[in-house]
Amino acid sequence: MGAGVSDLAAGMEAVGKVAGGAGLGELPELCAAEVLLHLDAPEICRLARLNRAFRGAAAADFVWEAKLPENYGYLLDFVDGAMEGRGGGRQRSLMGKKEVYARLAKAVPFDGGKKELWLEKSKGGVCIALSSKSLVITGIDDRRYWSHMPTTESRFHSVAYLQQIWWFEVVGELEFCFPAGTYSLYFRLHLGKASTRFGRRVCSSEQIHGWDKKPVRFQLSTSDGQHALSQCYLDEPGSWILYHVGDFVASTTEQPIKLKFSLAQIDCTHTKGGLCVDSVLIYPKGFQQEKVISSQK
């Protein structure tokens, strides 16, 4: 829609000149702000570079408050927690709404850095990531089965790598006050061990086995009675894949909703291995940044 913003600005400029020589620079800030209310955050920032009227309007609190989630005060509590003891950050009373939006659009770590939240920059939807270290993984403390592998391909700089195991299960929980809406939950997984050699990404597939024997089973349940159950075979070695577990609806910001989710392949007739478990991701429904595989119900 960036091209549309440019076309809008050019068209308004042309109309102004035809009408008597006045351009967009003569537009009252309040009128400019009314235009900005209909745009997404990146479009507001682009339009703010056009002239003084839009630049001034783009700093207005009421413009950015309309883009913030209704429970942004609750989200700022996590920012305060992340800054506690660091001596950084500004008092909320001194922060304009544009600054609040900008801060929440950056990753905000919580739970000892094992989880992060942020606002999706375009629409302002809440996104959450939970690292592999925040999940309960069967056999994770036994180095014969699992290892924590450092990598630049994870936002948490580390993934859990499965060498070989008979019983495979990963379970996680989260309690959070989501803005009202529908959300999708994914496991971010990778078959094979990726590394960099001579500046190029390479992926070792020698330990990949067992995932074509039985499908992996995904489950999601919520404290208000929502359930999702699906399954699929893990495939496409060498690529990070978001496996869709299910969707849930948050109906109110007043009460936290508790999520419980898992993936498992517990057929003990064969071993499985060669899998990287990076994280669990929760996005507003329809938003995704990587390839998604939808499981079968």
Side-chain angles (χ1 to χ4, degrees), residues 75-122:
L75 302 178
L76 282 174
D77 289 341
F78 291 88
V79 176
D80 294 342
M83 299 305 298
E84 187 176 354
R86 299 184 187 180
R90 294 179 60 187
Q91 294 182 2
R92 294 191 191 187
S93 59
L94 300 178
M95 294 176 67
K97 296 302 185 292
K98 180 179 180 180
E99 187 176 356
V100 170
Y101 194 100
R103 180 62 191 91
L104 291 175
K106 300 176 183 177
V108 180
F110 63 102
D111 191 18
K114 296 178 183 179
K115 302 170 186 174
E116 291 183 350
L117 69 87
W118 69 96
L119 296 186
E120 185 271 306
K121 292 182 180 179
S122 179

mmCIF file of all heavy atoms in Angstrom, residues 75-122:
data_model
loop_
_atom_site.group_PDB
_atom_site.id
_atom_site.type_symbol
_atom_site.label_atom_id
_atom_site.label_comp_id
_atom_site.label_asym_id
_atom_site.label_seq_id
_atom_site.Cartn_x
_atom_site.Cartn_y
_atom_site.Cartn_z
ATOM 1 N N LEU A 75 0.769 -4.241 28.332
ATOM 2 C CA LEU A 75 1.973 -4.620 27.603
ATOM 3 C C LEU A 75 3.191 -3.837 28.091
ATOM 4 O O LEU A 75 4.310 -4.364 28.141
ATOM 5 C CB LEU A 75 1.776 -4.407 26.105
ATOM 6 C CG LEU A 75 0.602 -5.161 25.465
ATOM 7 C CD1 LEU A 75 0.489 -4.828 23.988
ATOM 8 C CD2 LEU A 75 0.736 -6.662 25.665
ATOM 9 N N LEU A 76 2.966 -2.576 28.464
ATOM 10 C CA LEU A 76 4.075 -1.761 28.968
ATOM 11 C C LEU A 76 4.603 -2.280 30.302
ATOM 12 O O LEU A 76 5.762 -2.019 30.650
ATOM 13 C CB LEU A 76 3.641 -0.303 29.114
ATOM 14 C CG LEU A 76 3.595 0.518 27.823
ATOM 15 C CD1 LEU A 76 3.002 1.901 28.101
ATOM 16 C CD2 LEU A 76 4.985 0.641 27.214
ATOM 17 N N ASP A 77 3.782 -3.019 31.035
ATOM 18 C CA ASP A 77 4.275 -3.633 32.271
ATOM 19 C C ASP A 77 5.446 -4.573 31.977
ATOM 20 O O ASP A 77 6.380 -4.690 32.766
ATOM 21 C CB ASP A 77 3.160 -4.414 32.972
ATOM 22 C CG ASP A 77 2.103 -3.512 33.580
ATOM 23 O OD1 ASP A 77 2.396 -2.313 33.790
ATOM 24 O OD2 ASP A 77 0.983 -4.000 33.841
ATOM 25 N N PHE A 78 5.399 -5.242 30.824
ATOM 26 C CA PHE A 78 6.487 -6.135 30.438
ATOM 27 C C PHE A 78 7.741 -5.346 30.080
ATOM 28 O O PHE A 78 8.861 -5.782 30.339
ATOM 29 C CB PHE A 78 6.064 -7.015 29.264
ATOM 30 C CG PHE A 78 5.020 -8.039 29.611
ATOM 31 C CD1 PHE A 78 3.669 -7.736 29.535
ATOM 32 C CD2 PHE A 78 5.399 -9.307 30.032
ATOM 33 C CE1 PHE A 78 2.711 -8.678 29.864
ATOM 34 C CE2 PHE A 78 4.440 -10.258 30.356
ATOM 35 C CZ PHE A 78 3.094 -9.943 30.280
ATOM 36 N N VAL A 79 7.552 -4.163 29.479
ATOM 37 C CA VAL A 79 8.692 -3.289 29.200
ATOM 38 C C VAL A 79 9.344 -2.856 30.499
ATOM 39 O O VAL A 79 10.572 -2.880 30.648
ATOM 40 C CB VAL A 79 8.255 -2.059 28.377
ATOM 41 C CG1 VAL A 79 9.434 -1.109 28.179
ATOM 42 C CG2 VAL A 79 7.685 -2.479 27.033
ATOM 43 N N ASP A 80 8.501 -2.469 31.480
ATOM 44 C CA ASP A 80 9.034 -2.063 32.787
ATOM 45 C C ASP A 80 9.821 -3.203 33.426
ATOM 46 O O ASP A 80 10.882 -2.996 34.011
ATOM 47 C CB ASP A 80 7.887 -1.644 33.714
ATOM 48 C CG ASP A 80 7.179 -0.384 33.230
ATOM 49 O OD1 ASP A 80 7.768 0.333 32.405
ATOM 50 O OD2 ASP A 80 6.047 -0.141 33.665
ATOM 51 N N GLY A 81 9.290 -4.428 33.295
ATOM 52 C CA GLY A 81 9.974 -5.575 33.865
ATOM 53 C C GLY A 81 11.307 -5.831 33.188
ATOM 54 O O GLY A 81 12.294 -6.185 33.837
ATOM 55 N N ALA A 82 11.356 -5.625 31.856
ATOM 56 C CA ALA A 82 12.594 -5.850 31.118
ATOM 57 C C ALA A 82 13.648 -4.802 31.462
ATOM 58 O O ALA A 82 14.851 -5.076 31.436
ATOM 59 C CB ALA A 82 12.319 -5.833 29.614
ATOM 60 N N MET A 83 13.186 -3.588 31.806
ATOM 61 C CA MET A 83 14.125 -2.496 32.095
ATOM 62 C C MET A 83 14.501 -2.424 33.564
ATOM 63 O O MET A 83 15.413 -1.687 33.944
ATOM 64 C CB MET A 83 13.523 -1.149 31.663
ATOM 65 C CG MET A 83 13.223 -1.052 30.177
ATOM 66 S SD MET A 83 14.669 -1.406 29.146
ATOM 67 C CE MET A 83 15.771 -0.098 29.658
ATOM 68 N N GLU A 84 13.811 -3.165 34.416
ATOM 69 C CA GLU A 84 14.064 -3.092 35.852
ATOM 70 C C GLU A 84 15.516 -3.463 36.168
ATOM 71 O O GLU A 84 16.027 -4.494 35.732
ATOM 72 C CB GLU A 84 13.123 -4.047 36.595
ATOM 73 C CG GLU A 84 13.191 -3.911 38.109
ATOM 74 C CD GLU A 84 12.165 -4.800 38.808
ATOM 75 O OE1 GLU A 84 11.349 -5.421 38.107
ATOM 76 O OE2 GLU A 84 12.199 -4.853 40.039
ATOM 77 N N GLY A 85 16.148 -2.613 36.893
ATOM 78 C CA GLY A 85 17.529 -2.859 37.294
ATOM 79 C C GLY A 85 18.552 -2.410 36.275
ATOM 80 O O GLY A 85 19.750 -2.440 36.530
ATOM 81 N N ARG A 86 18.091 -1.949 35.089
ATOM 82 C CA ARG A 86 19.035 -1.520 34.060
ATOM 83 C C ARG A 86 19.223 -0.005 34.046
ATOM 84 O O ARG A 86 20.106 0.508 33.373
ATOM 85 C CB ARG A 86 18.562 -1.961 32.668
ATOM 86 C CG ARG A 86 18.435 -3.470 32.526
ATOM 87 C CD ARG A 86 18.058 -3.809 31.101
ATOM 88 N NE ARG A 86 17.767 -5.234 30.946
ATOM 89 C CZ ARG A 86 17.411 -5.787 29.788
ATOM 90 N NH1 ARG A 86 17.314 -5.054 28.701
ATOM 91 N NH2 ARG A 86 17.155 -7.086 29.731
ATOM 92 N N GLY A 87 18.324 0.694 34.730
ATOM 93 C CA GLY A 87 18.427 2.152 34.758
ATOM 94 C C GLY A 87 18.037 2.813 33.463
ATOM 95 O O GLY A 87 18.322 3.983 33.226
ATOM 96 N N GLY A 88 17.379 2.070 32.554
ATOM 97 C CA GLY A 88 16.996 2.629 31.270
ATOM 98 C C GLY A 88 15.519 2.902 31.206
ATOM 99 O O GLY A 88 14.776 2.700 32.149
ATOM 100 N N GLY A 89 15.101 3.345 30.019
ATOM 101 C CA GLY A 89 13.682 3.597 29.802
ATOM 102 C C GLY A 89 13.245 4.949 30.325
ATOM 103 O O GLY A 89 13.950 5.628 31.064
ATOM 104 N N ARG A 90 12.076 5.357 29.946
ATOM 105 C CA ARG A 90 11.499 6.617 30.397
ATOM 106 C C ARG A 90 10.236 6.326 31.172
ATOM 107 O O ARG A 90 9.567 5.309 30.965
ATOM 108 C CB ARG A 90 11.177 7.515 29.201
ATOM 109 C CG ARG A 90 12.387 7.997 28.433
ATOM 110 C CD ARG A 90 11.948 8.866 27.262
ATOM 111 N NE ARG A 90 11.201 10.024 27.717
ATOM 112 C CZ ARG A 90 10.579 10.877 26.892
ATOM 113 N NH1 ARG A 90 10.596 10.687 25.601
ATOM 114 N NH2 ARG A 90 9.914 11.906 27.368
ATOM 115 N N GLN A 91 9.896 7.240 32.086
ATOM 116 C CA GLN A 91 8.645 7.097 32.811
ATOM 117 C C GLN A 91 7.484 7.193 31.828
ATOM 118 O O GLN A 91 7.513 7.945 30.853
ATOM 119 C CB GLN A 91 8.530 8.199 33.866
ATOM 120 C CG GLN A 91 9.558 8.096 34.979
ATOM 121 C CD GLN A 91 9.344 9.184 36.010
ATOM 122 O OE1 GLN A 91 8.421 9.994 35.927
ATOM 123 N NE2 GLN A 91 10.229 9.200 37.001
ATOM 124 N N ARG A 92 6.439 6.407 32.096
ATOM 125 C CA ARG A 92 5.311 6.369 31.160
ATOM 126 C C ARG A 92 4.696 7.738 30.934
ATOM 127 O O ARG A 92 4.260 8.056 29.830
ATOM 128 C CB ARG A 92 4.242 5.411 31.685
ATOM 129 C CG ARG A 92 4.683 3.975 31.718
ATOM 130 C CD ARG A 92 3.487 3.084 31.993
ATOM 131 N NE ARG A 92 3.891 1.734 32.292
ATOM 132 C CZ ARG A 92 3.051 0.727 32.442
ATOM 133 N NH1 ARG A 92 1.752 0.942 32.346
ATOM 134 N NH2 ARG A 92 3.484 -0.489 32.714
ATOM 135 N N SER A 93 4.642 8.528 31.982
ATOM 136 C CA SER A 93 4.012 9.840 31.864
ATOM 137 C C SER A 93 4.761 10.746 30.889
ATOM 138 O O SER A 93 4.202 11.719 30.386
ATOM 139 C CB SER A 93 3.942 10.516 33.239
ATOM 140 O OG SER A 93 5.239 10.663 33.792
ATOM 141 N N LEU A 94 6.016 10.435 30.611
ATOM 142 C CA LEU A 94 6.822 11.252 29.710
ATOM 143 C C LEU A 94 6.831 10.703 28.288
ATOM 144 O O LEU A 94 7.351 11.354 27.380
ATOM 145 C CB LEU A 94 8.264 11.335 30.223
ATOM 146 C CG LEU A 94 8.463 11.943 31.614
ATOM 147 C CD1 LEU A 94 9.932 11.906 32.008
ATOM 148 C CD2 LEU A 94 7.928 13.372 31.662
ATOM 149 N N MET A 95 6.251 9.534 28.097
ATOM 150 C CA MET A 95 6.278 8.903 26.779
ATOM 151 C C MET A 95 5.044 9.290 25.970
ATOM 152 O O MET A 95 3.915 9.147 26.425
ATOM 153 C CB MET A 95 6.336 7.376 26.911
ATOM 154 C CG MET A 95 7.613 6.837 27.528
ATOM 155 S SD MET A 95 7.572 5.027 27.761
ATOM 156 C CE MET A 95 7.563 4.475 26.047
ATOM 157 N N GLY A 96 5.273 9.797 24.749
ATOM 158 C CA GLY A 96 4.173 10.027 23.841
ATOM 159 C C GLY A 96 3.702 8.700 23.263
ATOM 160 O O GLY A 96 4.394 7.683 23.337
ATOM 161 N N LYS A 97 2.503 8.706 22.678
ATOM 162 C CA LYS A 97 1.941 7.449 22.164
ATOM 163 C C LYS A 97 2.751 6.904 20.988
ATOM 164 O O LYS A 97 2.849 5.688 20.801
ATOM 165 C CB LYS A 97 0.483 7.670 21.753
ATOM 166 C CG LYS A 97 -0.437 8.049 22.917
ATOM 167 C CD LYS A 97 -0.412 6.975 24.002
ATOM 168 C CE LYS A 97 -1.399 7.242 25.117
ATOM 169 N NZ LYS A 97 -1.039 8.413 25.932
ATOM 170 N N LYS A 98 3.381 7.792 20.207
ATOM 171 C CA LYS A 98 4.239 7.318 19.123
ATOM 172 C C LYS A 98 5.436 6.574 19.694
ATOM 173 O O LYS A 98 5.844 5.520 19.183
ATOM 174 C CB LYS A 98 4.710 8.495 18.268
ATOM 175 C CG LYS A 98 5.609 8.085 17.113
ATOM 176 C CD LYS A 98 6.034 9.294 16.293
ATOM 177 C CE LYS A 98 6.941 8.868 15.137
ATOM 178 N NZ LYS A 98 7.364 10.047 14.335
ATOM 179 N N GLU A 99 5.986 7.084 20.777
ATOM 180 C CA GLU A 99 7.121 6.431 21.426
ATOM 181 C C GLU A 99 6.698 5.091 22.043
ATOM 182 O O GLU A 99 7.459 4.110 22.008
ATOM 183 C CB GLU A 99 7.711 7.338 22.503
ATOM 184 C CG GLU A 99 8.994 6.811 23.117
ATOM 185 C CD GLU A 99 9.602 7.778 24.117
ATOM 186 O OE1 GLU A 99 9.061 8.897 24.270
ATOM 187 O OE2 GLU A 99 10.600 7.406 24.756
ATOM 188 N N VAL A 100 5.492 5.055 22.591
ATOM 189 C CA VAL A 100 4.981 3.801 23.147
ATOM 190 C C VAL A 100 4.873 2.748 22.039
ATOM 191 O O VAL A 100 5.303 1.607 22.200
ATOM 192 C CB VAL A 100 3.603 4.013 23.813
ATOM 193 C CG1 VAL A 100 2.960 2.676 24.164
ATOM 194 C CG2 VAL A 100 3.741 4.873 25.062
ATOM 195 N N TYR A 101 4.317 3.149 20.888
ATOM 196 C CA TYR A 101 4.164 2.225 19.772
ATOM 197 C C TYR A 101 5.534 1.728 19.315
ATOM 198 O O TYR A 101 5.736 0.525 19.083
ATOM 199 C CB TYR A 101 3.444 2.910 18.611
ATOM 200 C CG TYR A 101 2.946 1.965 17.547
ATOM 201 C CD1 TYR A 101 1.619 1.578 17.506
ATOM 202 C CD2 TYR A 101 3.815 1.462 16.572
ATOM 203 C CE1 TYR A 101 1.144 0.710 16.535
ATOM 204 C CE2 TYR A 101 3.357 0.591 15.597
ATOM 205 C CZ TYR A 101 2.018 0.218 15.580
ATOM 206 O OH TYR A 101 1.576 -0.650 14.623
ATOM 207 N N ALA A 102 6.480 2.648 19.177
ATOM 208 C CA ALA A 102 7.818 2.280 18.719
ATOM 209 C C ALA A 102 8.484 1.314 19.689
ATOM 210 O O ALA A 102 9.166 0.370 19.274
ATOM 211 C CB ALA A 102 8.673 3.531 18.537
ATOM 212 N N ARG A 103 8.295 1.539 20.992
ATOM 213 C CA ARG A 103 8.932 0.653 21.967
ATOM 214 C C ARG A 103 8.309 -0.738 21.933
ATOM 215 O O ARG A 103 9.019 -1.745 22.020
ATOM 216 C CB ARG A 103 8.813 1.241 23.390
ATOM 217 C CG ARG A 103 9.459 0.361 24.463
ATOM 218 C CD ARG A 103 10.948 0.208 24.212
ATOM 219 N NE ARG A 103 11.562 -0.824 25.037
ATOM 220 C CZ ARG A 103 11.682 -2.099 24.679
ATOM 221 N NH1 ARG A 103 11.192 -2.511 23.505
ATOM 222 N NH2 ARG A 103 12.291 -2.961 25.458
ATOM 223 N N LEU A 104 6.994 -0.808 21.801
ATOM 224 C CA LEU A 104 6.336 -2.111 21.775
ATOM 225 C C LEU A 104 6.549 -2.849 20.452
ATOM 226 O O LEU A 104 6.371 -4.065 20.384
ATOM 227 C CB LEU A 104 4.844 -1.947 22.042
ATOM 228 C CG LEU A 104 4.460 -1.517 23.466
ATOM 229 C CD1 LEU A 104 2.957 -1.281 23.567
ATOM 230 C CD2 LEU A 104 4.906 -2.558 24.496
ATOM 231 N N ALA A 105 6.931 -2.122 19.406
ATOM 232 C CA ALA A 105 7.228 -2.767 18.126
ATOM 233 C C ALA A 105 8.578 -3.477 18.151
ATOM 234 O O ALA A 105 8.885 -4.263 17.252
ATOM 235 C CB ALA A 105 7.187 -1.746 16.996
ATOM 236 N N LYS A 106 9.386 -3.200 19.178
ATOM 237 C CA LYS A 106 10.642 -3.917 19.371
ATOM 238 C C LYS A 106 10.394 -5.100 20.307
ATOM 239 O O LYS A 106 9.479 -5.075 21.126
ATOM 240 C CB LYS A 106 11.695 -2.998 19.982
ATOM 241 C CG LYS A 106 12.024 -1.776 19.139
ATOM 242 C CD LYS A 106 13.005 -0.877 19.872
ATOM 243 C CE LYS A 106 13.299 0.379 19.077
ATOM 244 N NZ LYS A 106 14.214 1.298 19.814
ATOM 245 N N ALA A 107 11.229 -6.112 20.200
ATOM 246 C CA ALA A 107 11.068 -7.288 21.048
ATOM 247 C C ALA A 107 11.204 -6.919 22.519
ATOM 248 O O ALA A 107 12.159 -6.235 22.914
ATOM 249 C CB ALA A 107 12.100 -8.346 20.683
ATOM 250 N N VAL A 108 10.235 -7.356 23.320
ATOM 251 C CA VAL A 108 10.251 -7.131 24.767
ATOM 252 C C VAL A 108 10.431 -8.496 25.448
ATOM 253 O O VAL A 108 9.509 -9.315 25.450
ATOM 254 C CB VAL A 108 8.947 -6.477 25.256
ATOM 255 C CG1 VAL A 108 8.999 -6.262 26.773
ATOM 256 C CG2 VAL A 108 8.691 -5.163 24.531
ATOM 257 N N PRO A 109 11.599 -8.780 26.002
ATOM 258 C CA PRO A 109 11.806 -10.082 26.647
ATOM 259 C C PRO A 109 11.103 -10.166 27.997
ATOM 260 O O PRO A 109 10.964 -9.168 28.703
ATOM 261 C CB PRO A 109 13.330 -10.149 26.810
ATOM 262 C CG PRO A 109 13.759 -8.715 26.893
ATOM 263 C CD PRO A 109 12.813 -7.942 26.025
ATOM 264 N N PHE A 110 10.652 -11.359 28.362
ATOM 265 C CA PHE A 110 10.111 -11.590 29.708
ATOM 266 C C PHE A 110 10.362 -13.044 30.075
ATOM 267 O O PHE A 110 10.881 -13.823 29.267
ATOM 268 C CB PHE A 110 8.629 -11.196 29.802
ATOM 269 C CG PHE A 110 7.678 -11.973 28.936
ATOM 270 C CD1 PHE A 110 6.872 -12.978 29.460
ATOM 271 C CD2 PHE A 110 7.539 -11.677 27.583
ATOM 272 C CE1 PHE A 110 5.967 -13.681 28.683
ATOM 273 C CE2 PHE A 110 6.640 -12.383 26.782
ATOM 274 C CZ PHE A 110 5.860 -13.385 27.339
ATOM 275 N N ASP A 111 10.022 -13.391 31.318
ATOM 276 C CA ASP A 111 10.302 -14.729 31.843
ATOM 277 C C ASP A 111 11.776 -15.075 31.700
ATOM 278 O O ASP A 111 12.150 -16.129 31.187
ATOM 279 C CB ASP A 111 9.440 -15.775 31.140
ATOM 280 C CG ASP A 111 9.496 -17.139 31.841
ATOM 281 O OD1 ASP A 111 9.914 -17.176 33.012
ATOM 282 O OD2 ASP A 111 9.151 -18.148 31.205
ATOM 283 N N GLY A 112 12.621 -14.145 32.167
ATOM 284 C CA GLY A 112 14.055 -14.389 32.145
ATOM 285 C C GLY A 112 14.654 -14.456 30.754
ATOM 286 O O GLY A 112 15.694 -15.082 30.560
ATOM 287 N N GLY A 113 14.011 -13.813 29.783
ATOM 288 C CA GLY A 113 14.506 -13.823 28.418
ATOM 289 C C GLY A 113 14.096 -15.048 27.619
ATOM 290 O O GLY A 113 14.479 -15.184 26.452
ATOM 291 N N LYS A 114 13.290 -15.933 28.212
ATOM 292 C CA LYS A 114 12.866 -17.144 27.514
ATOM 293 C C LYS A 114 11.673 -16.894 26.594
ATOM 294 O O LYS A 114 11.332 -17.748 25.766
ATOM 295 C CB LYS A 114 12.502 -18.233 28.517
ATOM 296 C CG LYS A 114 13.668 -18.702 29.381
ATOM 297 C CD LYS A 114 13.196 -19.748 30.387
ATOM 298 C CE LYS A 114 14.320 -20.189 31.307
ATOM 299 N NZ LYS A 114 13.855 -21.187 32.307
ATOM 300 N N LYS A 115 11.033 -15.734 26.753
ATOM 301 C CA LYS A 115 9.877 -15.391 25.931
ATOM 302 C C LYS A 115 10.000 -13.934 25.489
ATOM 303 O O LYS A 115 10.689 -13.135 26.133
ATOM 304 C CB LYS A 115 8.580 -15.598 26.725
ATOM 305 C CG LYS A 115 8.378 -17.018 27.238
ATOM 306 C CD LYS A 115 7.223 -17.119 28.223
ATOM 307 C CE LYS A 115 7.135 -18.521 28.822
ATOM 308 N NZ LYS A 115 6.121 -18.608 29.894
ATOM 309 N N GLU A 116 9.341 -13.601 24.405
ATOM 310 C CA GLU A 116 9.327 -12.230 23.905
ATOM 311 C C GLU A 116 7.943 -11.882 23.382
ATOM 312 O O GLU A 116 7.213 -12.755 22.900
ATOM 313 C CB GLU A 116 10.336 -12.062 22.758
ATOM 314 C CG GLU A 116 11.784 -12.146 23.173
ATOM 315 C CD GLU A 116 12.745 -11.915 22.029
ATOM 316 O OE1 GLU A 116 12.290 -11.872 20.860
ATOM 317 O OE2 GLU A 116 13.950 -11.777 22.291
ATOM 318 N N LEU A 117 7.616 -10.590 23.474
ATOM 319 C CA LEU A 117 6.405 -10.080 22.840
ATOM 320 C C LEU A 117 6.764 -8.841 22.041
ATOM 321 O O LEU A 117 7.744 -8.169 22.326
ATOM 322 C CB LEU A 117 5.315 -9.775 23.870
ATOM 323 C CG LEU A 117 5.506 -8.606 24.835
ATOM 324 C CD1 LEU A 117 5.016 -7.278 24.243
ATOM 325 C CD2 LEU A 117 4.764 -8.861 26.136
ATOM 326 N N TRP A 118 5.972 -8.550 21.037
ATOM 327 C CA TRP A 118 6.166 -7.346 20.242
ATOM 328 C C TRP A 118 4.902 -7.073 19.436
ATOM 329 O O TRP A 118 4.037 -7.939 19.301
ATOM 330 C CB TRP A 118 7.376 -7.488 19.307
ATOM 331 C CG TRP A 118 7.203 -8.467 18.188
ATOM 332 C CD1 TRP A 118 6.827 -8.211 16.895
ATOM 333 C CD2 TRP A 118 7.399 -9.901 18.253
ATOM 334 N NE1 TRP A 118 6.786 -9.383 16.168
ATOM 335 C CE2 TRP A 118 7.141 -10.415 16.962
ATOM 336 C CE3 TRP A 118 7.785 -10.780 19.274
ATOM 337 C CZ2 TRP A 118 7.234 -11.784 16.684
ATOM 338 C CZ3 TRP A 118 7.878 -12.126 18.984
ATOM 339 C CH2 TRP A 118 7.613 -12.616 17.711
ATOM 340 N N LEU A 119 4.799 -5.844 18.936
ATOM 341 C CA LEU A 119 3.687 -5.490 18.063
ATOM 342 C C LEU A 119 4.112 -5.676 16.620
ATOM 343 O O LEU A 119 5.196 -5.228 16.218
ATOM 344 C CB LEU A 119 3.259 -4.029 18.271
ATOM 345 C CG LEU A 119 2.687 -3.624 19.626
ATOM 346 C CD1 LEU A 119 2.188 -2.180 19.550
ATOM 347 C CD2 LEU A 119 1.568 -4.551 20.057
ATOM 348 N N GLU A 120 3.265 -6.336 15.850
ATOM 349 C CA GLU A 120 3.489 -6.414 14.412
ATOM 350 C C GLU A 120 3.365 -4.990 13.868
ATOM 351 O O GLU A 120 2.374 -4.304 14.106
ATOM 352 C CB GLU A 120 2.432 -7.348 13.817
ATOM 353 C CG GLU A 120 2.594 -7.620 12.343
ATOM 354 C CD GLU A 120 1.867 -6.597 11.505
ATOM 355 O OE1 GLU A 120 0.667 -6.412 11.734
ATOM 356 O OE2 GLU A 120 2.514 -5.988 10.628
ATOM 357 N N LYS A 121 4.394 -4.505 13.171
ATOM 358 C CA LYS A 121 4.532 -3.079 12.873
ATOM 359 C C LYS A 121 3.412 -2.517 12.008
ATOM 360 O O LYS A 121 3.028 -1.353 12.170
ATOM 361 C CB LYS A 121 5.883 -2.818 12.202
ATOM 362 C CG LYS A 121 7.069 -3.022 13.132
ATOM 363 C CD LYS A 121 8.381 -2.706 12.433
ATOM 364 C CE LYS A 121 9.556 -2.917 13.388
ATOM 365 N NZ LYS A 121 10.856 -2.632 12.727
ATOM 366 N N SER A 122 2.879 -3.306 11.105
ATOM 367 C CA SER A 122 1.900 -2.772 10.175
ATOM 368 C C SER A 122 0.542 -2.548 10.835
ATOM 369 O O SER A 122 -0.015 -1.452 10.774
ATOM 370 C CB SER A 122 1.752 -3.716 8.981
ATOM 371 O OG SER A 122 0.791 -3.215 8.076
#
